[in-house]
Amino acid sequence: QVQLVESGGHSVQAGGSLKLSCTAPEHIFSRCEMGWYRQATGKDRELVSKFSTDGTITYGDSVKARFTISRDYEKNMLYLQMNRLETEDAARYYCGAECVWGGYWSQAALVTVSS
């Protein structure tokens, strides 16, 4: 099961930073596409950033140059460093894995950004 382990809290002022982390079983972490997604109130879930299985990184247009995805293979950890947060970044954030045999979602991490 993909588990989201949160680090650094959920609430921040606009312009601040927050880091999310996610851990997954090794067979998922090493063989699947893994990424971060978010869903704001009243909106559809959208891609924030992801690693494709070939290592390619993709960012959503609204977070480019502000957010950074990274991973630690030794720890089976996926990270999302979020800088210069904006009120529009407030949402429920999910770690997701897409594998050839199926997909997994973590529980949501609620991120609030105050102006």
PDB file of all heavy atoms in Angstrom, residues 18-33:
ATOM      1  N   LEU A  18       6.954  24.238   2.030  1.00  0.00           N
ATOM      2  CA  LEU A  18       6.461  23.035   2.687  1.00  0.00           C
ATOM      3  C   LEU A  18       7.025  21.840   1.934  1.00  0.00           C
ATOM      4  O   LEU A  18       7.221  21.902   0.710  1.00  0.00           O
ATOM      5  CB  LEU A  18       4.938  23.010   2.637  1.00  0.00           C
ATOM      6  CG  LEU A  18       4.153  22.218   3.665  1.00  0.00           C
ATOM      7  CD1 LEU A  18       4.452  22.701   5.070  1.00  0.00           C
ATOM      8  CD2 LEU A  18       2.657  22.320   3.370  1.00  0.00           C
ATOM      9  N   LYS A  19       7.292  20.767   2.656  1.00  0.00           N
ATOM     10  CA  LYS A  19       7.805  19.567   1.998  1.00  0.00           C
ATOM     11  C   LYS A  19       6.937  18.379   2.370  1.00  0.00           C
ATOM     12  O   LYS A  19       6.671  18.125   3.547  1.00  0.00           O
ATOM     13  CB  LYS A  19       9.256  19.291   2.416  1.00  0.00           C
ATOM     14  CG  LYS A  19       9.905  18.141   1.653  1.00  0.00           C
ATOM     15  CD  LYS A  19      11.379  18.017   1.994  1.00  0.00           C
ATOM     16  CE  LYS A  19      12.064  16.953   1.157  1.00  0.00           C
ATOM     17  NZ  LYS A  19      13.520  16.878   1.451  1.00  0.00           N
ATOM     18  N   LEU A  20       6.506  17.660   1.372  1.00  0.00           N
ATOM     19  CA  LEU A  20       5.728  16.449   1.568  1.00  0.00           C
ATOM     20  C   LEU A  20       6.603  15.241   1.248  1.00  0.00           C
ATOM     21  O   LEU A  20       7.496  15.317   0.402  1.00  0.00           O
ATOM     22  CB  LEU A  20       4.498  16.440   0.657  1.00  0.00           C
ATOM     23  CG  LEU A  20       3.513  17.594   0.815  1.00  0.00           C
ATOM     24  CD1 LEU A  20       2.368  17.434  -0.177  1.00  0.00           C
ATOM     25  CD2 LEU A  20       2.986  17.677   2.229  1.00  0.00           C
ATOM     26  N   SER A  21       6.326  14.156   1.908  1.00  0.00           N
ATOM     27  CA  SER A  21       7.060  12.932   1.627  1.00  0.00           C
ATOM     28  C   SER A  21       6.091  11.765   1.546  1.00  0.00           C
ATOM     29  O   SER A  21       5.003  11.802   2.108  1.00  0.00           O
ATOM     30  CB  SER A  21       8.123  12.674   2.691  1.00  0.00           C
ATOM     31  OG  SER A  21       7.530  12.582   3.977  1.00  0.00           O
ATOM     32  N   CYS A  22       6.519  10.746   0.860  1.00  0.00           N
ATOM     33  CA  CYS A  22       5.669   9.593   0.600  1.00  0.00           C
ATOM     34  C   CYS A  22       6.558   8.358   0.533  1.00  0.00           C
ATOM     35  O   CYS A  22       7.642   8.399  -0.051  1.00  0.00           O
ATOM     36  CB  CYS A  22       4.954   9.806  -0.734  1.00  0.00           C
ATOM     37  SG  CYS A  22       4.073   8.371  -1.392  1.00  0.00           S
ATOM     38  N   THR A  23       6.117   7.294   1.118  1.00  0.00           N
ATOM     39  CA  THR A  23       6.857   6.048   1.037  1.00  0.00           C
ATOM     40  C   THR A  23       5.973   4.974   0.411  1.00  0.00           C
ATOM     41  O   THR A  23       4.748   5.017   0.530  1.00  0.00           O
ATOM     42  CB  THR A  23       7.344   5.599   2.422  1.00  0.00           C
ATOM     43  OG1 THR A  23       8.186   4.461   2.287  1.00  0.00           O
ATOM     44  CG2 THR A  23       6.169   5.256   3.336  1.00  0.00           C
ATOM     45  N   ALA A  24       6.593   4.055  -0.258  1.00  0.00           N
ATOM     46  CA  ALA A  24       5.867   2.969  -0.914  1.00  0.00           C
ATOM     47  C   ALA A  24       6.686   1.689  -0.803  1.00  0.00           C
ATOM     48  O   ALA A  24       7.911   1.753  -0.649  1.00  0.00           O
ATOM     49  CB  ALA A  24       5.625   3.310  -2.386  1.00  0.00           C
ATOM     50  N   PRO A  25       6.045   0.544  -0.917  1.00  0.00           N
ATOM     51  CA  PRO A  25       6.796  -0.715  -0.944  1.00  0.00           C
ATOM     52  C   PRO A  25       7.793  -0.709  -2.092  1.00  0.00           C
ATOM     53  O   PRO A  25       7.558  -0.109  -3.141  1.00  0.00           O
ATOM     54  CB  PRO A  25       5.705  -1.769  -1.162  1.00  0.00           C
ATOM     55  CG  PRO A  25       4.469  -1.140  -0.630  1.00  0.00           C
ATOM     56  CD  PRO A  25       4.599   0.310  -0.941  1.00  0.00           C
ATOM     57  N   GLU A  26       8.909  -1.385  -1.900  1.00  0.00           N
ATOM     58  CA  GLU A  26      10.008  -1.320  -2.859  1.00  0.00           C
ATOM     59  C   GLU A  26       9.583  -1.733  -4.263  1.00  0.00           C
ATOM     60  O   GLU A  26      10.003  -1.117  -5.252  1.00  0.00           O
ATOM     61  CB  GLU A  26      11.161  -2.206  -2.366  1.00  0.00           C
ATOM     62  CG  GLU A  26      12.465  -2.010  -3.136  1.00  0.00           C
ATOM     63  CD  GLU A  26      12.510  -2.835  -4.414  1.00  0.00           C
ATOM     64  OE1 GLU A  26      11.764  -3.834  -4.517  1.00  0.00           O
ATOM     65  OE2 GLU A  26      13.277  -2.457  -5.322  1.00  0.00           O
ATOM     66  N   HIS A  27       8.755  -2.747  -4.397  1.00  0.00           N
ATOM     67  CA  HIS A  27       8.395  -3.232  -5.728  1.00  0.00           C
ATOM     68  C   HIS A  27       7.532  -2.214  -6.481  1.00  0.00           C
ATOM     69  O   HIS A  27       7.497  -2.219  -7.715  1.00  0.00           O
ATOM     70  CB  HIS A  27       7.665  -4.578  -5.648  1.00  0.00           C
ATOM     71  CG  HIS A  27       6.263  -4.494  -5.113  1.00  0.00           C
ATOM     72  ND1 HIS A  27       5.981  -4.355  -3.773  1.00  0.00           N
ATOM     73  CD2 HIS A  27       5.070  -4.536  -5.753  1.00  0.00           C
ATOM     74  CE1 HIS A  27       4.675  -4.338  -3.612  1.00  0.00           C
ATOM     75  NE2 HIS A  27       4.090  -4.438  -4.791  1.00  0.00           N
ATOM     76  N   ILE A  28       6.866  -1.349  -5.747  1.00  0.00           N
ATOM     77  CA  ILE A  28       6.099  -0.277  -6.379  1.00  0.00           C
ATOM     78  C   ILE A  28       7.011   0.893  -6.680  1.00  0.00           C
ATOM     79  O   ILE A  28       7.005   1.453  -7.783  1.00  0.00           O
ATOM     80  CB  ILE A  28       4.932   0.166  -5.478  1.00  0.00           C
ATOM     81  CG1 ILE A  28       3.892  -0.948  -5.362  1.00  0.00           C
ATOM     82  CG2 ILE A  28       4.297   1.448  -5.992  1.00  0.00           C
ATOM     83  CD1 ILE A  28       2.772  -0.649  -4.400  1.00  0.00           C
ATOM     84  N   PHE A  29       7.828   1.270  -5.702  1.00  0.00           N
ATOM     85  CA  PHE A  29       8.683   2.434  -5.853  1.00  0.00           C
ATOM     86  C   PHE A  29       9.629   2.278  -7.034  1.00  0.00           C
ATOM     87  O   PHE A  29       9.903   3.236  -7.765  1.00  0.00           O
ATOM     88  CB  PHE A  29       9.469   2.647  -4.551  1.00  0.00           C
ATOM     89  CG  PHE A  29      10.206   3.942  -4.487  1.00  0.00           C
ATOM     90  CD1 PHE A  29       9.574   5.098  -4.079  1.00  0.00           C
ATOM     91  CD2 PHE A  29      11.546   4.005  -4.839  1.00  0.00           C
ATOM     92  CE1 PHE A  29      10.241   6.298  -4.028  1.00  0.00           C
ATOM     93  CE2 PHE A  29      12.233   5.199  -4.790  1.00  0.00           C
ATOM     94  CZ  PHE A  29      11.580   6.353  -4.377  1.00  0.00           C
ATOM     95  N   SER A  30      10.166   1.086  -7.240  1.00  0.00           N
ATOM     96  CA  SER A  30      11.192   0.883  -8.268  1.00  0.00           C
ATOM     97  C   SER A  30      10.624   0.558  -9.643  1.00  0.00           C
ATOM     98  O   SER A  30      11.342   0.670 -10.637  1.00  0.00           O
ATOM     99  CB  SER A  30      12.138  -0.242  -7.839  1.00  0.00           C
ATOM    100  OG  SER A  30      11.416  -1.469  -7.713  1.00  0.00           O
ATOM    101  N   ARG A  31       9.354   0.164  -9.738  1.00  0.00           N
ATOM    102  CA  ARG A  31       8.836  -0.327 -11.007  1.00  0.00           C
ATOM    103  C   ARG A  31       7.680   0.486 -11.573  1.00  0.00           C
ATOM    104  O   ARG A  31       7.223   0.216 -12.690  1.00  0.00           O
ATOM    105  CB  ARG A  31       8.389  -1.786 -10.847  1.00  0.00           C
ATOM    106  CG  ARG A  31       9.535  -2.736 -10.515  1.00  0.00           C
ATOM    107  CD  ARG A  31       9.018  -4.084 -10.071  1.00  0.00           C
ATOM    108  NE  ARG A  31       8.252  -4.742 -11.114  1.00  0.00           N
ATOM    109  CZ  ARG A  31       7.625  -5.896 -10.943  1.00  0.00           C
ATOM    110  NH1 ARG A  31       7.665  -6.511  -9.772  1.00  0.00           N
ATOM    111  NH2 ARG A  31       6.944  -6.454 -11.929  1.00  0.00           N
ATOM    112  N   CYS A  32       7.226   1.471 -10.831  1.00  0.00           N
ATOM    113  CA  CYS A  32       6.033   2.204 -11.241  1.00  0.00           C
ATOM    114  C   CYS A  32       6.312   3.689 -11.424  1.00  0.00           C
ATOM    115  O   CYS A  32       7.288   4.223 -10.892  1.00  0.00           O
ATOM    116  CB  CYS A  32       4.930   2.043 -10.202  1.00  0.00           C
ATOM    117  SG  CYS A  32       4.509   0.330  -9.825  1.00  0.00           S
ATOM    118  N   GLU A  33       5.437   4.294 -12.187  1.00  0.00           N
ATOM    119  CA  GLU A  33       5.456   5.748 -12.307  1.00  0.00           C
ATOM    120  C   GLU A  33       4.906   6.310 -10.999  1.00  0.00           C
ATOM    121  O   GLU A  33       3.845   5.887 -10.543  1.00  0.00           O
ATOM    122  CB  GLU A  33       4.571   6.156 -13.480  1.00  0.00           C
ATOM    123  CG  GLU A  33       4.481   7.624 -13.736  1.00  0.00           C
ATOM    124  CD  GLU A  33       3.604   7.908 -14.947  1.00  0.00           C
ATOM    125  OE1 GLU A  33       4.090   7.810 -16.077  1.00  0.00           O
ATOM    126  OE2 GLU A  33       2.410   8.216 -14.741  1.00  0.00           O
TER     127      GLU A  33
END
